[in-house]
């Protein structure tokens, strides 16, 4: 039977012990550098070494997270870190940055790779692209249904990992700039400020009327809970089940791992089933409300935690009155001294406090039961009718520490011993585990016993004392003279030596088994010479196309869509067309969409100069179906460094759009290191989130059209973020327009090959913006013209420089 891996989150050594002792087959954890949980405790280098040794001695794998975008200035530090990881032997690295992949393939070929969910792999082409690169496993995007995962699994022999429990990102992972743009803390760098957990209002963009969801947590997802779908996921062939929670407490890790271990074993081995008590414990330990997510095809109000962005806990009742520092409640749930409570007030405010005194009929008690009237000391006023929730259950945590947190029996490795004990010769012992053999020889000679000799049973008794090791005694054979004497301390010392040698031999074997080869991988010299900076324009609808001045344009990107027929008919009528045309594919493409895309590219292939892609799945698709077509990349691939550019060039890409999170100095660092065709975004609403679940679906009885949304999200500062609906994907656009004409000369000095304007909406300034940027690119900066333009068009409060000045942490 195929082994199903249960993969647990580990943010500390205590969580590591909790995960392993409760049935995790593997753990994932981060070092102090380059991982997507920057604010977790994480592991020092020595901690990593210790964690790997501890886990490997218990037959548990360790995956190191290296899943952030890496700045060019960090590449040398990255290489030093990779060298250290190569030495300590983790079972795999979880990566997302294409530059990291390039360095590992070129310089550290023995490190095994897993593709992070940050890579936005949501189709079989993306999985097979990474498989061909030598990836052992791919962590799929969390937006896939069970049916879609099953189809992907049929199309690949790569290992597939699926998130099954914990916090969800509302945006496709790797496609969120919300925290980055608003606060400079990039989720792609492991520093997400969780802007999605803030309240927003959904507003009609035309009427400016607030929808019913005023001030709700429109982007705050419920927590994923897939325990009831574990059997289905096993049956379709998922290889690894991943639990989220590297920033959670060890008690959380212990409980959730324990329950999922139980669910997996129940399906595989017909063991004890998950029951209501198990489900209740899962709910009590932490929840924002639970959803089955897209695995269960849930969306809208089933997916979003509208009323609260944090732990809901267990509802225990409403405040009846507050008097003399006491709040009176009729309990809907048991309450214990030491529990933690959260009061949700009618005005939307919250109060958090610990229960240190409980009174029933004026007498202090340690606990109270459901249905009883109690008074609890709250010291500050709790408003009448406030809802009270238990967010920390003292009894549950005590039970977890007692039942789950202690050292459990581990899956020990069988070890057998053999001895040659001859009088007047040194004792020779051998140990065998699997097909490995180690030998230890004593320093003192075996003597003839003066009285009773050393018995075979006594030798076995000493050799089988393996409780503090990962081994279990499985047998003994020996060539032993009669009536011999050998000190017990010598046998014990030899046993310890054999165990140590066997551990070393097993670790060496594990490293050899993990070794793979990229010996045929080498970087291709980039064939590019900068000549000039050009103007490119991206559009997503036919109406915008008709407003462009084609004499002031060098490259045109047409978003893939139904309007392409009209667009190409219109473009055919243009005389003396002197600009490139690229079709821009969506950044999110399901397996079922590629056939239509193939038909469109085939239809228009003779009229285009190439394709712009937004994910690696599209790259694989084009290389398979259209091997001779020119391919450029969009900024959704998060290109941060020269190694990523080299990687993409190795894979046939002719030009790349740099990440919008880079500042001017970081762009210069790249351009000084590598000469290649690089594009940057110069104007437009940046895409802050790419979502499968639309906020519009929260409106009851709402019918979502495939046209542009007429809604916007409004935050507490009254900043408006337009929603763009295309197909089954919703994009949150920035509240301000990126506008950087004064940086064009600097970008030209940095040999940026193209500056792109993006027009998603019917902007009344399209013609003026195109002319302004074109003139500056061709003739140089005119500061007075720019300043007058901003004043005349009343742009001061609606534009931003993005990250060109500040960059991200």
């Amino acid at each position: 039977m195929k082994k199903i891996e249960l993969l647990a989150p580990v943010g500390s050594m205590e969580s590591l012990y909790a995960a392993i002792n409760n049935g995790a087959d593997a753990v994932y954890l981060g070092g102090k550098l380059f991982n997507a949980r920057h604010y977790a405790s994480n592991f020092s280098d020595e901690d990593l070494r210790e964690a790997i040794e501890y886990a490997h001695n218990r037959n548990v794998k360790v995956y190191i997270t290296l899943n952030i975008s890496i700045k060019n200035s960090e590449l040398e530090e990255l290489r030093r870190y990779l060298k250290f990881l190569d030495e300590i032997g983790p079972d795999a690295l979880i990566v997302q940055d294409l530059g990291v992949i390039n360095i590992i393939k070129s310089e550290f070929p023995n490190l095994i790779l897993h593709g992070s969910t940050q890579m936005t792999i949501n189709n079989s082409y993306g999985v097979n692209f990474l498989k061909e690169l030598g990836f052992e496993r791919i962590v799929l995007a969390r937006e896939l249904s069970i049916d879609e995962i099953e189809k992907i699994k049929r199309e690949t022999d790569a290992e597939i990992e699926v998130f099954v429990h914990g916090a969800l990102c509302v945006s496709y992972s790797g496609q969120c700039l919300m925290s980055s743009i608003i606060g400079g803390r990039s989720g792609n760098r492991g520093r997400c400020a969780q802007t999605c957990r803030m309240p927003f209002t959904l507003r009609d963009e035309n009427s400016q009327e607030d929808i019913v969801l005023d001030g709700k947590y429109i982007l705050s997802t419920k927590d994923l809970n897939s325990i009831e779908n574990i059997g289905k996921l096993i049956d379709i062939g998922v290889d690894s089940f991943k639990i989220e929670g590297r920033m959670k407490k060890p008690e959380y890790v212990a409980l959730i791992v324990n329950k999922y271990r139980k669910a997996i074993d129940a399906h595989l081995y017909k063991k004890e089933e998950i029951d209501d008590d198990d489900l209740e414990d899962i709910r009590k330990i932490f929840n924002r409300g639970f959803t089955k997510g897209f695995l269960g095809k849930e969306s809208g109000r089933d997916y979003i935690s509208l009323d609260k962005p944090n732990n809901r806990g267990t509802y225990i009742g409403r405040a009846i009155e507050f008097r003399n520092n006491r709040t009176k409640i009729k309990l809907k749930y048991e309450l214990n001294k030491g529990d933690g409570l959260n009061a949700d007030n009618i005005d939307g405010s919250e109060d958090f406090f610990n229960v240190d005194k409980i009174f029933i009929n004026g007498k202090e008690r340690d606990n109270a039961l459901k249905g009883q009237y109690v008074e609890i000391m709250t010291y500050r006023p709790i408003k009448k009718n406030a809802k009270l929730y238990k967010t920390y259950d003292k009894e549950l945590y005590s039970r977890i520490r007692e039942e789950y947190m202690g050292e459990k029996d581990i899956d020990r490795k069988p070890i057998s011993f053999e001895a040659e004990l001859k009088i007047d010769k040194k004792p020779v012992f051998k140990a065998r585990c699997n097909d490995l053999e180690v030998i230890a020889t004593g320093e003192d000679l075996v003597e003839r016993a003066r009285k009773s000799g050393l018995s075979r049973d006594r030798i076995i008794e000493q050799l089988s004392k393996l409780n503090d090791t990962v081994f279990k005694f499985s047998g003994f054979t020996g060539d032993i003279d009669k009536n011999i004497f050998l000190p017990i301390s010598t046998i014990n010392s030899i046993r310890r030596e054999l165990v140590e040698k066997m551990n070393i031999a097993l670790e060496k074997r594990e490293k050899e088994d993990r070794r793979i080869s990229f010996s045929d991988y080498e970087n291709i010299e980039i064939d590019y010479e900068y000549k000039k900076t050009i103007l490119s324009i991206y559009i997503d609808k036919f109406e915008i196309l008709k407003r462009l001045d084609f004499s002031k344009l060098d490259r045109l990107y047409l978003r893939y869509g139904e309007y392409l027929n009209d667009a190409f008919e219109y473009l055919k009528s243009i005389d003396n067309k002197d600009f490139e045309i690229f079709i821009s594919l969506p950044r999110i493409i399901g397996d079922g969409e590629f056939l239509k895309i193939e038909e469109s590219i085939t239809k228009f292939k003779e009229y285009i100069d190439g394709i712009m892609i937004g994910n690696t799945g599209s790259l694989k698709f084009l290389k398979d179906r259209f091997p001779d077509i020119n391919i450029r990349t969009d900024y959704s691939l998060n290109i941060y460094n020269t190694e990523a550019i080299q990687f993409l060039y190795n894979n046939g890409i002719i030009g790349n759009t740099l990440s919008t999170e880079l500042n001017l100095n970081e762009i210069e660092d790249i351009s000084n290191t590598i000469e290649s065709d690089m594009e940057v975004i110069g104007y437009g609403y940046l895409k802050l989130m790419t979502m499968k679940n639309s906020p519009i679906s929260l409106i009851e009885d709402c019918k979502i059209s495939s046209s542009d949304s007429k809604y916007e999200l409004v935050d507490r500062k009254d900043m408006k973020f337009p929603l763009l609906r295309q197909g089954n994907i919703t994009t949150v656009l920035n509240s301000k327009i990126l506008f950087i004409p004064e940086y064009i000369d600097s970008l030209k000095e940095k040999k940026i090959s193209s500056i792109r304007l993006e027009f998603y909406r019917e902007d009344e300034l399209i013609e003026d913006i195109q002319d302004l940027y074109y003139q500056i690119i061709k003739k140089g900066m005119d500061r007075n013209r720019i300043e007058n333009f901003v004043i005349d068009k009343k742009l001061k409060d609606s534009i931003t420089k993005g990250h060109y000045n500040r960059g991200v942490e």
Side-chain angles (χ1 to χ4, degrees), residues 269-326:
Y269 310 118
K270 308 305 177 187
K271 291 187 177 181
E272 182 184 2
E273 300 277 350
I274 289 288
D275 58 26
D276 289 342
D277 288 340
D278 295 314
L279 298 177
E280 178 70 3
D281 283 349
I282 290 172
R283 184 178 64 81
K284 287 195 295 186
I285 192 72
F286 190 95
N287 80 88
R288 294 183 176 91
F290 281 130
T291 176
K292 294 183 176 67
F294 293 106
L295 292 172
K297 299 183 179 179
E298 292 186 343
S299 61
R301 291 172 184 257
D302 293 325
Y303 190 73
I304 296 295
S305 180
L306 277 175
D307 297 321
K308 292 181 60 144
N310 47 15
N311 184 15
R312 285 189 177 185
T314 304
Y315 176 63
I316 66 166
R318 287 182 180 269
I320 297 172
E321 64 176 355
F322 175 83
R323 186 173 56 185
N324 297 328
N325 291 328
R326 298 181 185 181

Side-chain angles (χ1 to χ4, degrees), residues 94-124:
I94 304 171
V95 301
Q96 73 132 330
D97 190 306
L98 301 179
V100 174
I101 298 170
N102 199 64
I103 290 174
I104 291 173
K105 285 170 64 66
S106 301
E107 302 172 32
F108 302 94
N110 296 318
L111 289 171
I112 290 177
L113 298 179
H114 289 183
S116 169
T117 189
Q118 287 285 119
M119 298 189 76
T120 325
I121 304 298
N122 75 307
N123 55 57
S124 60

Side-chain angles (χ1 to χ4, degrees), residues 337 356-367 377:
K337 190 175 176 180
D356 54 12
K357 290 185 179 181
I358 300 174
F359 298 93
I360 300 177
N361 296 325
K363 295 182 178 180
E364 188 171 349
R365 302 290 180 85
D366 288 335
N367 54 63
M377 296 294 291

Side-chain angles (χ1 to χ4, degrees), residues 45-57:
D45 286 356
E46 285 310 306
D47 289 339
L48 287 176
R49 193 188 301 273
E50 180 183 343
I52 290 173
E53 182 179 357
Y54 181 89
H56 283 177
N57 283 342

